[in-house]
Every structure is written in C-alpha cells, then in structure tokens.
Amino acid sequence: MSMNVVEPHAKPQRPFALYGVDLASRLLLGTAQYPSPDVLARAVEASGASIVTVSLRREQARGRKGERFLELIEATGARVLPNTAGCRTAKEAITTAHMAREVFGTDWVKLEVIANDDTLQPEIFGLVEAATALTQDGFKVLPYTTEDLSIAERLLAVGCEVLMPWGSPIGSGRGLANRYALQSLRAYFPDVPLIIDAGIGAPSHAADAMEMGYDAVLINTAVAKAGAPVPMAAAFAQAIEAGRAAFEAGLMGARDMASPSTPVAGTPFFDLPPPDSKPGND
C-alpha cells in the first residue's frame, strides 16, 4: 500500500485553533498549587503548553509577589488566559473579567461561575447570564460548563465559540466520570472546539479524552501536586499527542464477541489425519 493512501476510517487532521488563533499545543496548563515559581516555569516548558490559566483574584491577593509571578508567566512565552475562579454569581464573574482585561491586556477569559463549594460544579444559569454579557462586551469567552447539551446550545447561541465541559469535579482526579454524556456532546457538536476542563488525574485520562475526539485538555492539580511536576507535565504532553494521533488514525470499534486476528483460510487444521494414513486402516 502506498504511504500516501489514507486509511478508510482515518479522521482528517484538523489544526487546533481557538477564536481564529492557531495553537501549537492541545494542552492548557493551570498555574496554581505548584511547589515553587521555578517548578511552575519548568513545568510549563516541559508541557509545551500554548496557554496557561491564571486567577486574577489569587494574584491580586499576593500583591507584589503576584507581580513577580506574572512576569515569570510572561517569560514562558505562553498565552495567558485569565479566569474568574472563585466567582459565585454572574455579577462577580463579569466584574472580574473586566478587571482581568485591564490587568492582562487580553479579551480572552475562562469563565467560571461556581454553584457548590463541595463539588465546584458550574452554576449554569449564572454562567449563561455572564457569558451573554461578556460576549456582548467583546470578550472571547471559554466557559467552564457541564456536559449538558441544552446548556451547551445556550452558550453557543449567546456567542461562545468554545466549550469547556468538566471531566469530573475540580481537583478530584477521577477522570471522565460521565463518558456517555461526553461522547454525546462530542457527537452533537462535531465542529465546535471542546476542551476537557477539571477532574483529570493521570495522563491516561487525558489520552482517553483525546481518543474520544476532544480537541484539548486543561490540567492543573494533576501536574502541580505530582511527586515530580516537571516530568509529569511532559508525560501529559506525550499522552495528549498520542491520544490525538490515535483519534485521527481511527480507532477500531469495540466488539462483544471475539474476532480472530489470524484468518482461518490457509491455516493448518491439526485435527486432520496424517498424510500417510488411509481411511479404514485405524
């Protein structure tokens, strides 16, 4: 077979782009909870991440230390994506997003409106309200949402061009808790960039999401709290590349029954009589 022949079930390769910006890496990296600024900087480099997320509230609380932190992040060369972490209402999130635009000089924002302190799940009504207001104000919104199809439709209808459904609760490390719903979301919106956000605990979880056809994965705690964050960041980068390559190559379908990998035709049948034996001479 010619090396140029496309396999029948291979997926077309599609560059990763958000809001018209091409991005080299499908890994987005959070910047909280690292042992030190130096470890964070080396983890960003090892991951090859094109985007890093930053909490405006956290950095404001750190004062001048926050200023040095932002200088460190800018030195990595990654695009800074401010988020509205910690906001409980649409009003809080809108105000924080406007402040972030002034501080970071970007109209990109990862929009979070949290409903519950134990699960940190998105507050979907406030999320849609805030997304509506921010897109009207010219923001490019990346909403942290659930896998609910109706909420996804509303977010897209108000102007969001990207969706970031959770895999499982933030920091839980549980991986993809509701695979069926995530698969349905991917199938329902085949052309919308979908990024798994929250709950990823191991490189295998990230590869799983990519094999499912998701466009990217955002990771924070799994790298920051690893025994060795820098090698773990590199491991996640490799897993995401492998998962995407597998998706584009076309994974085989699962079966309920066995299917022989060696064809029956032309294989020896060991229950046949030896060549020198004759019928009736037993």
Side-chain angles (χ1 to χ4, degrees):
M1 178 182 293
S2 169
M3 294 297 289
N4 294 324
V5 174
V6 177
E7 294 295 333
H9 300 293
K11 306 290 191 303
Q13 295 187 3
R14 184 173 65 185
F16 179 46
L18 301 176
Y19 287 104
V21 176
D22 291 333
L23 300 165
S25 172
R26 294 176 182 270
L27 189 160
L28 289 72
L29 193 65
T31 57
Q33 306 185 72
Y34 287 82
S36 71
D38 177 65
V39 171
L40 168 60
R42 291 190 290 122
V44 173
E45 181 180 3
S47 73
S50 298
I51 293 177
V52 295
T53 63
V54 177
S55 169
L56 174 65
R57 288 187 162 196
R58 185 182 72 238
E59 299 318 317
Q60 281 187 318
R62 293 171 60 173
R64 293 199 59 81
K65 288 185 178 180
E67 293 178 11
R68 291 194 291 272
F69 172 83
L70 295 179
E71 291 173 359
L72 180 149
I73 293 298
E74 290 172 355
T76 67
R79 173 184 285 268
V80 174
L81 175 63
N83 66 39
T84 62
C87 293
R88 296 296 194 274
T89 67
K91 183 178 179 179
E92 274 188 291
I94 293 167
T95 300
T96 301
H98 279 277
M99 293 171 63
R101 182 159 64 179
E102 294 295 324
V103 172
F104 297 105
T106 178
D107 55 5
W108 286 37
V109 63
K110 178 175 179 278
L111 181 60
E112 298 182 26
V113 184
I114 300 301
N116 181 279
D117 289 337
D118 292 324
T119 64
L120 298 179
Q121 71 185 62
E123 200 284 275
I124 54 178
F125 302 106
L127 180 67
V128 173
E129 180 184 346
T132 302
L134 290 173
T135 53
Q136 290 174 352
D137 285 338
F139 282 87
K140 295 176 174 62
V141 178
L142 291 81
Y144 164 60
T145 184
T146 68
E147 61 278 85
D148 187 280
L149 290 177
S150 62
I151 300 303
E153 287 182 318
R154 292 186 183 186
L155 289 168
L156 295 173
V158 302
C160 297
E161 297 181 12
V162 183
L163 298 174
M164 300 183 72
W166 66 347
S168 52
I170 293 173
S172 67
R174 293 288 185 176
L176 307 183
N178 193 341
R179 291 181 55 84
Y180 172 77
L182 289 170
Q183 287 172 334
S184 297
L185 189 69
R186 177 71 285 178
Y188 203 79
F189 302 108
D191 299 319
V192 175
L194 299 179
I195 302 170
I196 290 292
D197 177 15
I200 297 297
S204 57
H205 298 161
D208 191 15
M210 300 304 292
E211 289 174 3
M212 198 182 291
Y214 276 74
D215 296 280
V217 176
L218 190 152
I219 304 154
N220 190 165
T221 309
V223 172
K225 292 297 187 181
V230 177
M232 184 61 75
F236 268 105
Q238 294 166 10
I240 287 171
E241 288 185 6
R244 182 65 189 185
F247 170 74
E248 291 177 346
L251 294 162
M252 66 170 286
R255 298 172 59 94
D256 292 326
M257 302 295 289
S259 176
S261 56
T262 303
V264 174
T267 59
F269 290 88
F270 297 104
D271 58 344
L272 294 178
D276 57 348
S277 65
K278 294 182 181 180
N281 291 338
D282 293 340

mmCIF file of all heavy atoms in Angstrom, residues 29-31 33-47 69 72-73 76 223-233:
data_model
loop_
_atom_site.group_PDB
_atom_site.id
_atom_site.type_symbol
_atom_site.label_atom_id
_atom_site.label_comp_id
_atom_site.label_asym_id
_atom_site.label_seq_id
_atom_site.Cartn_x
_atom_site.Cartn_y
_atom_site.Cartn_z
ATOM 1 N N LEU A 29 -2.472 24.569 30.590
ATOM 2 C CA LEU A 29 -1.943 24.278 31.918
ATOM 3 C C LEU A 29 -2.337 25.356 32.919
ATOM 4 O O LEU A 29 -2.166 26.552 32.656
ATOM 5 C CB LEU A 29 -0.415 24.171 31.851
ATOM 6 C CG LEU A 29 0.280 23.566 33.073
ATOM 7 C CD1 LEU A 29 -0.119 22.103 33.258
ATOM 8 C CD2 LEU A 29 1.798 23.675 32.942
ATOM 9 N N GLY A 30 -2.861 24.909 34.064
ATOM 10 C CA GLY A 30 -3.160 25.829 35.155
ATOM 11 C C GLY A 30 -1.896 26.135 35.945
ATOM 12 O O GLY A 30 -0.917 25.375 35.916
ATOM 13 N N THR A 31 -1.914 27.241 36.689
ATOM 14 C CA THR A 31 -0.693 27.718 37.342
ATOM 15 C C THR A 31 -0.772 27.730 38.863
ATOM 16 O O THR A 31 0.105 28.285 39.520
ATOM 17 C CB THR A 31 -0.367 29.140 36.846
ATOM 18 O OG1 THR A 31 -1.489 30.010 37.108
ATOM 19 C CG2 THR A 31 -0.071 29.142 35.356
ATOM 20 N N GLN A 33 -0.929 26.076 42.838
ATOM 21 C CA GLN A 33 -0.538 24.987 43.749
ATOM 22 C C GLN A 33 0.816 24.363 43.479
ATOM 23 O O GLN A 33 1.128 23.307 44.044
ATOM 24 C CB GLN A 33 -1.608 23.871 43.749
ATOM 25 C CG GLN A 33 -3.022 24.347 44.051
ATOM 26 C CD GLN A 33 -3.989 23.191 44.144
ATOM 27 O OE1 GLN A 33 -3.954 22.429 45.105
ATOM 28 N NE2 GLN A 33 -4.855 23.050 43.152
ATOM 29 N N TYR A 34 1.664 24.973 42.682
ATOM 30 C CA TYR A 34 2.991 24.412 42.426
ATOM 31 C C TYR A 34 3.905 24.639 43.626
ATOM 32 O O TYR A 34 3.735 25.620 44.379
ATOM 33 C CB TYR A 34 3.599 25.027 41.166
ATOM 34 C CG TYR A 34 2.951 24.536 39.902
ATOM 35 C CD1 TYR A 34 1.751 25.094 39.451
ATOM 36 C CD2 TYR A 34 3.495 23.479 39.167
ATOM 37 C CE1 TYR A 34 1.122 24.626 38.317
ATOM 38 C CE2 TYR A 34 2.871 23.011 38.022
ATOM 39 C CZ TYR A 34 1.690 23.586 37.595
ATOM 40 O OH TYR A 34 1.067 23.118 36.472
ATOM 41 N N PRO A 35 4.887 23.764 43.830
ATOM 42 C CA PRO A 35 5.779 23.912 44.987
ATOM 43 C C PRO A 35 6.567 25.219 44.996
ATOM 44 O O PRO A 35 6.872 25.743 46.060
ATOM 45 C CB PRO A 35 6.726 22.709 44.863
ATOM 46 C CG PRO A 35 6.019 21.739 43.991
ATOM 47 C CD PRO A 35 5.175 22.541 43.063
ATOM 48 N N SER A 36 6.886 25.740 43.814
ATOM 49 C CA SER A 36 7.651 26.977 43.728
ATOM 50 C C SER A 36 7.470 27.585 42.341
ATOM 51 O O SER A 36 7.100 26.886 41.385
ATOM 52 C CB SER A 36 9.137 26.711 43.972
ATOM 53 O OG SER A 36 9.703 26.005 42.872
ATOM 54 N N PRO A 37 7.752 28.880 42.188
ATOM 55 C CA PRO A 37 7.680 29.502 40.865
ATOM 56 C C PRO A 37 8.616 28.843 39.854
ATOM 57 O O PRO A 37 8.275 28.723 38.678
ATOM 58 C CB PRO A 37 8.084 30.956 41.140
ATOM 59 C CG PRO A 37 7.717 31.174 42.568
ATOM 60 C CD PRO A 37 7.991 29.873 43.247
ATOM 61 N N ASP A 38 9.792 28.416 40.317
ATOM 62 C CA ASP A 38 10.739 27.774 39.404
ATOM 63 C C ASP A 38 10.182 26.463 38.865
ATOM 64 O O ASP A 38 10.305 26.172 37.670
ATOM 65 C CB ASP A 38 12.063 27.510 40.136
ATOM 66 C CG ASP A 38 13.063 26.762 39.255
ATOM 67 O OD1 ASP A 38 13.498 27.345 38.231
ATOM 68 O OD2 ASP A 38 13.384 25.605 39.579
ATOM 69 N N VAL A 39 9.561 25.679 39.737
ATOM 70 C CA VAL A 39 8.958 24.408 39.289
ATOM 71 C C VAL A 39 7.849 24.686 38.289
ATOM 72 O O VAL A 39 7.719 23.984 37.273
ATOM 73 C CB VAL A 39 8.427 23.613 40.495
ATOM 74 C CG1 VAL A 39 7.602 22.409 40.021
ATOM 75 C CG2 VAL A 39 9.576 23.133 41.363
ATOM 76 N N LEU A 40 7.049 25.701 38.543
ATOM 77 C CA LEU A 40 5.987 26.069 37.613
ATOM 78 C C LEU A 40 6.563 26.422 36.252
ATOM 79 O O LEU A 40 6.080 25.932 35.219
ATOM 80 C CB LEU A 40 5.188 27.246 38.164
ATOM 81 C CG LEU A 40 4.232 27.939 37.183
ATOM 82 C CD1 LEU A 40 3.190 26.957 36.658
ATOM 83 C CD2 LEU A 40 3.562 29.138 37.841
ATOM 84 N N ALA A 41 7.578 27.254 36.227
ATOM 85 C CA ALA A 41 8.163 27.680 34.949
ATOM 86 C C ALA A 41 8.706 26.483 34.181
ATOM 87 O O ALA A 41 8.513 26.378 32.956
ATOM 88 C CB ALA A 41 9.271 28.700 35.205
ATOM 89 N N ARG A 42 9.356 25.574 34.885
ATOM 90 C CA ARG A 42 9.911 24.396 34.201
ATOM 91 C C ARG A 42 8.811 23.440 33.749
ATOM 92 O O ARG A 42 8.942 22.769 32.713
ATOM 93 C CB ARG A 42 10.924 23.694 35.104
ATOM 94 C CG ARG A 42 12.196 24.510 35.301
ATOM 95 C CD ARG A 42 13.300 23.726 35.989
ATOM 96 N NE ARG A 42 13.007 23.474 37.387
ATOM 97 C CZ ARG A 42 12.936 22.271 37.931
ATOM 98 N NH1 ARG A 42 13.091 21.182 37.178
ATOM 99 N NH2 ARG A 42 12.674 22.119 39.221
ATOM 100 N N ALA A 43 7.720 23.374 34.513
ATOM 101 C CA ALA A 43 6.588 22.528 34.109
ATOM 102 C C ALA A 43 5.928 23.069 32.848
ATOM 103 O O ALA A 43 5.558 22.306 31.950
ATOM 104 C CB ALA A 43 5.575 22.428 35.245
ATOM 105 N N VAL A 44 5.775 24.387 32.769
ATOM 106 C CA VAL A 44 5.201 24.997 31.564
ATOM 107 C C VAL A 44 6.076 24.673 30.368
ATOM 108 O O VAL A 44 5.585 24.288 29.291
ATOM 109 C CB VAL A 44 5.052 26.523 31.733
ATOM 110 C CG1 VAL A 44 4.616 27.155 30.414
ATOM 111 C CG2 VAL A 44 4.040 26.841 32.825
ATOM 112 N N GLU A 45 7.378 24.792 30.539
ATOM 113 C CA GLU A 45 8.297 24.499 29.435
ATOM 114 C C GLU A 45 8.219 23.031 29.030
ATOM 115 O O GLU A 45 8.160 22.701 27.844
ATOM 116 C CB GLU A 45 9.725 24.855 29.840
ATOM 117 C CG GLU A 45 10.751 24.596 28.741
ATOM 118 C CD GLU A 45 12.168 24.962 29.160
ATOM 119 O OE1 GLU A 45 12.366 25.375 30.329
ATOM 120 O OE2 GLU A 45 13.077 24.833 28.323
ATOM 121 N N ALA A 46 8.188 22.139 30.026
ATOM 122 C CA ALA A 46 8.140 20.701 29.725
ATOM 123 C C ALA A 46 6.841 20.299 29.048
ATOM 124 O O ALA A 46 6.815 19.377 28.220
ATOM 125 C CB ALA A 46 8.322 19.894 31.019
ATOM 126 N N SER A 47 5.758 20.972 29.401
ATOM 127 C CA SER A 47 4.450 20.634 28.827
ATOM 128 C C SER A 47 4.300 21.121 27.392
ATOM 129 O O SER A 47 3.499 20.583 26.626
ATOM 130 C CB SER A 47 3.331 21.244 29.679
ATOM 131 O OG SER A 47 3.269 22.659 29.493
ATOM 132 N N PHE A 69 5.114 36.970 39.866
ATOM 133 C CA PHE A 69 4.553 35.749 39.287
ATOM 134 C C PHE A 69 4.135 35.982 37.833
ATOM 135 O O PHE A 69 4.420 35.177 36.951
ATOM 136 C CB PHE A 69 3.350 35.291 40.116
ATOM 137 C CG PHE A 69 2.571 34.160 39.508
ATOM 138 C CD1 PHE A 69 2.983 32.859 39.666
ATOM 139 C CD2 PHE A 69 1.424 34.405 38.760
ATOM 140 C CE1 PHE A 69 2.271 31.806 39.101
ATOM 141 C CE2 PHE A 69 0.702 33.368 38.198
ATOM 142 C CZ PHE A 69 1.129 32.065 38.374
ATOM 143 N N LEU A 72 7.010 36.076 35.551
ATOM 144 C CA LEU A 72 7.505 34.717 35.295
ATOM 145 C C LEU A 72 6.662 34.041 34.225
ATOM 146 O O LEU A 72 7.203 33.385 33.316
ATOM 147 C CB LEU A 72 7.470 33.916 36.598
ATOM 148 C CG LEU A 72 7.940 32.458 36.575
ATOM 149 C CD1 LEU A 72 8.539 32.098 37.927
ATOM 150 C CD2 LEU A 72 6.783 31.505 36.259
ATOM 151 N N ILE A 73 5.346 34.183 34.311
ATOM 152 C CA ILE A 73 4.448 33.562 33.330
ATOM 153 C C ILE A 73 4.685 34.146 31.942
ATOM 154 O O ILE A 73 4.759 33.419 30.944
ATOM 155 C CB ILE A 73 2.979 33.746 33.748
ATOM 156 C CG1 ILE A 73 2.686 32.948 35.019
ATOM 157 C CG2 ILE A 73 2.040 33.329 32.626
ATOM 158 C CD1 ILE A 73 2.872 31.456 34.865
ATOM 159 N N THR A 76 7.545 32.703 29.981
ATOM 160 C CA THR A 76 7.422 31.376 29.367
ATOM 161 C C THR A 76 7.026 31.454 27.894
ATOM 162 O O THR A 76 7.206 30.498 27.148
ATOM 163 C CB THR A 76 6.373 30.522 30.110
ATOM 164 O OG1 THR A 76 5.064 31.101 29.916
ATOM 165 C CG2 THR A 76 6.682 30.436 31.595
ATOM 166 N N VAL A 223 -0.708 17.921 37.635
ATOM 167 C CA VAL A 223 0.707 18.250 37.442
ATOM 168 C C VAL A 223 1.281 18.908 38.690
ATOM 169 O O VAL A 223 2.330 18.503 39.199
ATOM 170 C CB VAL A 223 0.892 19.179 36.220
ATOM 171 C CG1 VAL A 223 2.330 19.685 36.130
ATOM 172 C CG2 VAL A 223 0.511 18.453 34.935
ATOM 173 N N ALA A 224 0.584 19.914 39.218
ATOM 174 C CA ALA A 224 1.104 20.682 40.348
ATOM 175 C C ALA A 224 1.320 19.824 41.590
ATOM 176 O O ALA A 224 2.270 20.035 42.348
ATOM 177 C CB ALA A 224 0.157 21.833 40.671
ATOM 178 N N LYS A 225 0.450 18.842 41.820
ATOM 179 C CA LYS A 225 0.528 18.017 43.014
ATOM 180 C C LYS A 225 1.226 16.680 42.772
ATOM 181 O O LYS A 225 1.254 15.823 43.670
ATOM 182 C CB LYS A 225 -0.876 17.772 43.561
ATOM 183 C CG LYS A 225 -1.552 19.026 44.125
ATOM 184 C CD LYS A 225 -0.780 19.572 45.306
ATOM 185 C CE LYS A 225 -1.515 20.708 45.985
ATOM 186 N NZ LYS A 225 -0.754 21.257 47.132
ATOM 187 N N ALA A 226 1.784 16.487 41.610
ATOM 188 C CA ALA A 226 2.524 15.255 41.333
ATOM 189 C C ALA A 226 3.813 15.225 42.154
ATOM 190 O O ALA A 226 4.324 16.268 42.583
ATOM 191 C CB ALA A 226 2.843 15.160 39.845
ATOM 192 N N GLY A 227 4.364 14.026 42.355
ATOM 193 C CA GLY A 227 5.627 13.919 43.073
ATOM 194 C C GLY A 227 6.735 14.685 42.378
ATOM 195 O O GLY A 227 7.599 15.283 43.030
ATOM 196 N N ALA A 228 6.700 14.692 41.060
ATOM 197 C CA ALA A 228 7.672 15.433 40.251
ATOM 198 C C ALA A 228 6.896 16.157 39.155
ATOM 199 O O ALA A 228 6.644 15.581 38.084
ATOM 200 C CB ALA A 228 8.714 14.495 39.654
ATOM 201 N N PRO A 229 6.486 17.390 39.395
ATOM 202 C CA PRO A 229 5.625 18.094 38.440
ATOM 203 C C PRO A 229 6.204 18.251 37.043
ATOM 204 O O PRO A 229 5.460 18.174 36.056
ATOM 205 C CB PRO A 229 5.419 19.464 39.107
ATOM 206 C CG PRO A 229 5.583 19.206 40.564
ATOM 207 C CD PRO A 229 6.652 18.169 40.649
ATOM 208 N N VAL A 230 7.500 18.469 36.926
ATOM 209 C CA VAL A 230 8.082 18.717 35.604
ATOM 210 C C VAL A 230 8.002 17.466 34.715
ATOM 211 O O VAL A 230 7.489 17.539 33.591
ATOM 212 C CB VAL A 230 9.527 19.241 35.728
ATOM 213 C CG1 VAL A 230 10.154 19.413 34.341
ATOM 214 C CG2 VAL A 230 9.541 20.582 36.478
ATOM 215 N N PRO A 231 8.474 16.300 35.165
ATOM 216 C CA PRO A 231 8.289 15.098 34.344
ATOM 217 C C PRO A 231 6.822 14.770 34.101
ATOM 218 O O PRO A 231 6.462 14.253 33.042
ATOM 219 C CB PRO A 231 8.973 13.997 35.164
ATOM 220 C CG PRO A 231 9.940 14.709 36.046
ATOM 221 C CD PRO A 231 9.288 16.019 36.364
ATOM 222 N N MET A 232 5.953 15.057 35.080
ATOM 223 C CA MET A 232 4.530 14.778 34.884
ATOM 224 C C MET A 232 3.952 15.666 33.793
ATOM 225 O O MET A 232 3.115 15.217 32.987
ATOM 226 C CB MET A 232 3.756 14.976 36.185
ATOM 227 C CG MET A 232 2.282 14.601 36.089
ATOM 228 S SD MET A 232 2.013 12.851 35.671
ATOM 229 C CE MET A 232 2.398 12.094 37.256
ATOM 230 N N ALA A 233 4.385 16.913 33.735
ATOM 231 C CA ALA A 233 3.920 17.801 32.667
ATOM 232 C C ALA A 233 4.310 17.244 31.305
ATOM 233 O O ALA A 233 3.521 17.268 30.349
ATOM 234 C CB ALA A 233 4.505 19.197 32.861
#
